[in-house]
Amino acid sequence: MPYPARLSPHLGGAREHSKAWAYTMDMIDVPQHGTVIWDEHDFDSHDYALLCAYTHPDAGATELDLITDWYVWVFYFDDHFLELFKRTGDIDSARAYLDRIALFMPVTGAITATAENPVERGLEDLWNRTVPHRSEGWRRRFVESTRNLLDESLWELANINEGRVSNPIEYIEMRRKVGGAPWSANLIEHSVHAEVPDAIAASRPMEVLRDCFADAVHLRNDLFSYQREVEDEGELSNGVLVFEKFLGRTTQEAADAVNDLLTSRLRQFEHTALTEVPALFDEHAVDLSGRAETFAYVKGLQDWQSGGHEWHLRSSRYMNEGALDSRGGPELLGGATGLGTSAARIFSSLVATAPQRLRSFSHQPHEIVGPIARPDIYMPFELRLSPHLATARENLADWCTSMGFLDGVVWDEHKMRAMDLPLCSAGIHPDASPEQLDLTSAWLAWGTYGDDYYPVVFGASRNLGAAKVATERFKLFMPLEDEPIPPPESSLETGLADLWQRTAGPMSLEFRRAFRKAVVDMCDSWLWELANQAENRIPDPIDYVEMRRKTFGSDLTMSLSRISHGRVVPPEIYRTRTIQAIEHSAMDYACLLNDVFSYKKEIQYEGELHNSVLVVRNFLDVDEQTAFEIVNDLMTARMKEFEHSVEVGLPGLFSDFSLNDDVQIALTAYADELKDWMVGILNWHEGCARYTEEEIRRRPGAPEDAPTTPAFSTGPTGLGTGALRISSILPAAR
């Protein structure tokens, strides 16, 4: 915990006010369906006013009262939902209960529904006291985070009913929504009277700050609440339990791993705030007022971290017996031990977590890899290949030549043919026409060439400025309407101009905008890789997984798939938990698969840092072989989550939203396409020469060599099987 906790002077008033408010809302000593959720002792011992006095130390008395009431409400909801629905498993009643809550959060206009229980009464009162002071943009963000917090309780309930413990990636993603930290971040803006400017609110640095804040808050809560949630409540949504089951470790070892991840997220927060936010201001010409409000918000996030930690040490809600008796560090030498004096513990915290920080920056590039046995890869689907593969191979060679890719610097013809990207497109798009297969192969080539080009041209020279200019120019070659494009100045620009005209021309403006964003996100992620490389910084595990989807081109792939179903499937359906779980699990499977095959190429020969095997090695401090096995276990878990989401989640989605037959058919076909996508990618990795020892060693322009020796030593090499249909692409195979 790198920040000192401070205590508001208005604590006493907030305690008195919040208790009276809770009584008024019937939250204390009033049975709900025959069950008393809280009695007076429960309320007093939880001490939510202390939480808010620590997490919002600079709030005025009136603001602290309001913030405390919000937290009383959200914790009451959590316990109310537990008693009425989690303990009973009554998912249908839970869904109806949650649907009504949305009636008490109108973004515009007045509340017209009549409250029927303490949760609804409390929300109605709080909404009317809060929203008159906030912008419409803030209200929309707060409604979204509140609904996520409430609605995703169904995910927890479904897991309890199935006895299912989620995998680590799924857990972190879903915990952000159900855990409430994004909701808390919105209240921080309110309490410090500052709003992040709309121009940067959705940018990567601000999203990373919010996500790091959320993950650290939730992981800390998991550590303190493990005993109550897992042993008393039968809860399955706890990070310690997730690590316990996934890594096969003891509870204490799992808790230590969760704490390491918490530390990593706080360091990612610091890194982003110090290195990315100032540049973001300049890029978007944010005025002095906007900068000041953003920094006030960032400071508010820090205050919440330290204050939340201090409250967890004190509240009877959590496992903290003896936590205040021996904290270590300067306090044992006679330092301060009273309220709000946690600064005395910062030194010992920094010393204890220093080894993890040092590992992230001390990796020696080009280390010798192996020998490594490749794990047995789980693939439940069957492969089909397009009959137009041979023709596509020759057509791609002609296209790459005409675009200027085969200049002998980054690629030559041998390298391009050894990669055999049409083999990938033939697997991920087996039913494509010859023209569609050529287009898919060309997109694969453009993305992969770009991913190879950036390290060679910009990485070696550490010329991040030139890379940023080149990346920004890509937008000029992807006009949304009829804007003229400039003459291309590089092979990447030439290829993009050609592909954009062939792909985006027939699209509607809406789809063209989404498609363009996917391409831009992928290219921007290459800059993120260059920045980490310049700092010799191994990425934080969570940031790596989420950025890897972009460096691999996964978002772009999904955009093109969605377009093929866009006239049938309503856009809001793609934002549901089920569809996002299907997409993200497929993305992660493919990204991790690529990392397994490319590990030696990247780590030994290219001096790369962006590989999940290295990230796991660094984070868990394990050997290479163990890291490979953990990554393979994570791949398998993501594939099984994909299967579960398709087999269980899709039918539930059809029912919940009363989707008609056309939409059901389209979404089922989309899931089948993603099956094709994954098995086609696996087949390409096993069938191309990009990752063989001879091809890795060979440089463009070198004499021809037949690449046959695999980069792995021994181990299973059985080909996965699966049937697919996808009208999409896979750029940036590393």
Side-chain angles (χ1 to χ4, degrees):
M1 173 46 61
Y3 319 118
R6 297 180 298 118
L7 187 66
S8 168
H10 307 299
L11 170 60
R15 278 181 173 145
E16 182 178 348
H17 168 88
S18 64
K19 189 171 183 177
W21 183 81
Y23 267 114
T24 301
M25 298 296 129
D26 292 339
M27 294 178 177
I28 302 175
D29 290 330
V30 178
Q32 303 296 314
H33 296 269
T35 301
V36 173
I37 307 300
W38 289 344
D39 59 23
E40 185 173 11
H41 174 74
D42 291 330
F43 183 88
D44 289 341
S45 59
H46 293 169
D47 207 351
Y48 302 116
L50 181 65
L51 166 66
C52 296
Y54 268 126
T55 55
H56 301 81
D58 298 319
T62 301
E63 287 301 316
L64 187 62
D65 288 347
L66 176 61
I67 295 294
T68 303
D69 291 347
W70 270 113
Y71 279 88
V72 169
W73 176 82
V74 79
F75 278 101
Y76 182 84
F77 162 80
D78 193 48
D79 290 349
H80 190 247
F81 193 85
L82 166 69
E83 293 296 337
L84 270 60
F85 306 114
K86 284 187 179 179
R87 291 198 190 278
T88 64
D90 187 355
I91 198 164
D92 291 332
S93 296
R95 186 173 290 113
Y97 168 92
L98 294 174
D99 286 343
R100 273 189 54 82
I101 290 178
L103 302 176
F104 299 91
M105 297 183 295
V107 174
T108 58
I111 296 171
T112 58
T114 301
E116 297 179 354
N117 59 55
V119 171
E120 294 177 359
R121 277 192 293 276
L123 182 55
E124 180 178 19
D125 176 77
L126 292 167
W127 192 254
N128 289 332
R129 290 163 57 196
T130 306
V131 296
H133 308 286
R134 301 265 61 90
S135 69
E136 184 174 330
W138 182 93
R139 278 178 269 159
R140 291 188 185 280
R141 293 199 301 274
F142 191 62
V143 167
E144 181 180 5
S145 60
T146 305
R147 293 187 67 168
N148 284 341
L149 182 152
L150 305 181
D151 291 349
E152 300 311 332
S153 298
L154 293 174
W155 170 76
E156 292 183 324
L157 179 55
N159 281 347
I160 291 172
N161 288 348
E162 296 178 28
R164 178 177 177 269
V165 178
S166 55
N167 63 71
I169 298 177
E170 176 192 12
Y171 177 75
I172 292 294
E173 285 190 331
M174 294 306 301
R175 187 73 164 91
R176 283 178 190 165
K177 296 180 178 181
V178 77
W183 178 86
S184 296
N186 289 322
L187 285 177
I188 288 170
E189 290 184 86
H190 180 73
S191 71
V192 299
H193 303 288
E195 292 189 23
V196 176
D198 284 343
I200 64 171
S203 64
R204 169 187 146 76
M206 298 312 300
E207 287 183 348
V208 169
L209 289 179
R210 284 190 290 270
D211 290 346
C212 288
F213 167 77
D215 296 341
V217 166
H218 296 150
L219 292 169
R220 180 182 298 106
N221 179 264
D222 287 350
L223 288 167
F224 279 92
S225 64
Y226 175 86
Q227 190 174 46
R228 175 176 62 86
E229 291 183 343
V230 177
E231 296 180 4
D232 175 42
E233 299 174 359
E235 180 64 77
L236 298 179
S237 297
N238 183 288
V240 178
L241 181 65
V242 168
F243 273 56
E244 229 181 312
K245 299 300 184 184
F246 180 77
L247 294 175
R249 298 191 174 185
T250 66
T251 302
Q252 187 59 56
E253 290 171 335
D256 291 341
V258 167
N259 188 54
D260 286 343
L261 188 56
L262 190 164
T263 300
S264 181
R265 295 309 278 159
L266 284 179
R267 288 183 172 150
Q268 177 68 49
F269 181 97
E270 295 169 358
H271 183 271
T272 302
L274 292 173
T275 66
E276 296 188 47
V277 171
L280 185 68
F281 290 155
D282 295 338
E283 180 181 347
H284 291 271
V286 177
D287 60 23
L288 291 179
S289 174
R291 296 181 186 219
E293 291 200 32
T294 302
F295 279 130
Y297 167 70
V298 171
K299 181 179 179 296
L301 295 176
Q302 293 174 332
D303 285 336
W304 211 110
Q305 290 286 353
S306 56
H309 183 83
E310 196 74 15
W311 177 70
H312 277 81
L313 291 172
R314 300 171 182 277
S315 174
S316 69
R317 188 178 178 90
Y318 300 109
M319 180 181 67
N320 53 20
E321 184 177 353
L324 298 175
D325 297 339
S326 62
R327 294 164 162 180
E331 287 184 355
L332 298 181
L333 304 176
T337 59
L339 288 175
T341 56
S342 64
R345 300 192 300 278
I346 293 177
F347 178 76
S348 61
S349 173
L350 294 176
V351 170
T353 57
Q356 186 194 78
R357 183 189 296 269
L358 292 175
R359 286 202 307 272
S360 296
F361 288 92
S362 58
H363 175 70
Q364 293 297 318
H366 302 288
E367 65 178 357
I368 301 300
V369 168
I372 299 167
R374 194 190 81 191
D376 191 10
I377 295 173
Y378 175 65
M379 170 52 70
F381 311 122
E382 293 184 357
L383 173 73
R384 293 185 302 124
L385 286 177
S386 167
H388 310 300
L389 172 57
T391 303
R393 283 172 170 146
E394 298 308 315
N395 290 345
L396 182 64
D398 293 341
W399 185 82
C400 288
T401 300
S402 65
M403 296 298 111
F405 290 179
L406 310 183
D407 58 4
V409 177
V410 180
W411 282 6
D412 59 10
E413 184 173 354
H414 172 96
K415 189 177 185 70
M416 184 272 302
R417 289 187 179 275
M419 276 185 284
D420 201 4
L421 292 169
L423 176 65
C424 187
S425 61
I428 68 176
H429 198 173
D431 298 319
S433 67
E435 294 77 15
Q436 290 172 327
L437 195 65
D438 286 344
L439 184 60
T440 300
S441 299
W443 269 114
L444 285 165
W446 187 86
T448 308
Y449 179 78
D451 196 51
D452 287 351
Y453 181 97
Y454 268 57
V456 170
V457 176
F458 302 121
S461 64
R462 298 292 191 265
N463 195 343
L464 303 187
K468 188 171 181 59
V469 170
T471 305
E472 188 66 22
R473 275 184 55 87
F474 289 150
K475 297 175 184 176
L476 302 175
F477 300 91
M478 296 183 288
L480 291 177
E481 298 193 34
D482 296 324
E483 306 96 318
I485 64 172
E489 296 180 357
S490 69
S491 53
L492 277 170
E493 291 181 356
T494 302
L496 182 58
D498 176 75
L499 288 171
W500 183 259
Q501 182 179 13
R502 293 160 60 191
T503 308
M507 294 179 183
S508 68
L509 180 60
E510 175 188 0
F511 286 134
R512 196 177 300 137
R513 184 176 288 112
F515 181 45
R516 183 179 190 260
K517 181 181 184 302
V519 178
V520 169
D521 285 347
M522 181 181 72
C523 299
D524 284 345
S525 71
W526 298 339
L527 299 177
W528 171 79
E529 289 185 317
L530 290 177
N532 284 335
Q533 206 74 33
E535 297 169 359
N536 195 40
R537 175 177 178 268
I538 298 175
D540 163 80
I542 296 174
D543 198 40
Y544 175 77
V545 169
E546 293 173 342
M547 288 301 293
R548 187 70 176 97
R549 295 169 186 166
K550 296 180 179 180
T551 63
F552 195 67
S554 304
D555 289 332
L556 196 159
T557 301
M558 302 308 179
S559 293
L560 284 176
S561 291
R562 287 175 180 175
I563 288 164
S564 66
H565 307 298
R567 294 185 177 88
V568 177
V569 180
E572 62 270 18
I573 297 299
Y574 285 114
R575 296 191 290 269
T576 60
R577 177 179 70 249
T578 299
I579 299 302
Q580 288 191 353
I582 289 172
E583 291 181 342
H584 289 176
S585 56
M587 291 178 186
D588 294 340
Y589 179 89
C591 294
L592 296 170
L593 170 70
N594 181 257
D595 285 353
V596 165
F597 276 86
S598 64
Y599 179 75
K600 185 166 189 174
K601 169 180 174 288
E602 292 180 347
I603 303 305
Q604 180 172 330
Y605 290 93
E606 298 174 357
E608 257 286 1
L609 300 171
H610 301 93
N611 187 290
S612 59
V613 179
L614 179 62
V615 171
V616 167
R617 274 180 53 200
N618 174 72
F619 174 67
L620 293 177
D621 197 18
V622 296
D623 59 67
E624 282 181 334
Q625 189 63 53
T626 301
F628 261 89
E629 291 166 1
I630 291 172
V631 170
N632 188 55
D633 287 344
L634 194 52
M635 283 171 53
T636 302
R638 293 303 267 168
M639 176 61 83
K640 289 185 180 295
E641 182 190 344
F642 176 89
E643 293 179 282
H644 179 270
S645 298
V646 172
E647 294 167 8
V648 177
L650 270 186
L653 181 72
F654 299 159
S655 174
D656 291 346
F657 288 85
S658 301
L659 300 178
N660 63 42
D661 290 346
D662 289 343
V663 176
Q664 293 187 31
I665 291 170
L667 289 175
T668 301
Y670 183 37
D672 288 341
E673 290 167 357
L674 295 180
K675 295 173 186 177
D676 286 349
W677 185 64
M678 289 185 284
V679 74
I681 292 168
L682 174 58
N683 179 66
W684 174 72
H685 278 88
E686 294 181 327
C688 77
R690 181 172 172 86
Y691 307 108
T692 59
E693 188 79 27
E694 289 87 350
E695 188 60 31
I696 292 171
R697 290 176 177 274
R698 185 186 175 279
R699 293 292 176 261
E704 293 289 324
D705 258 330
T708 56
T709 305
F712 291 100
S713 57
T714 60
T717 57
L719 188 67
T721 58
L724 312 170
R725 286 175 311 267
I726 186 166
S727 54
S728 59
I729 64 168
L730 168 68
R734 300 175 65 82

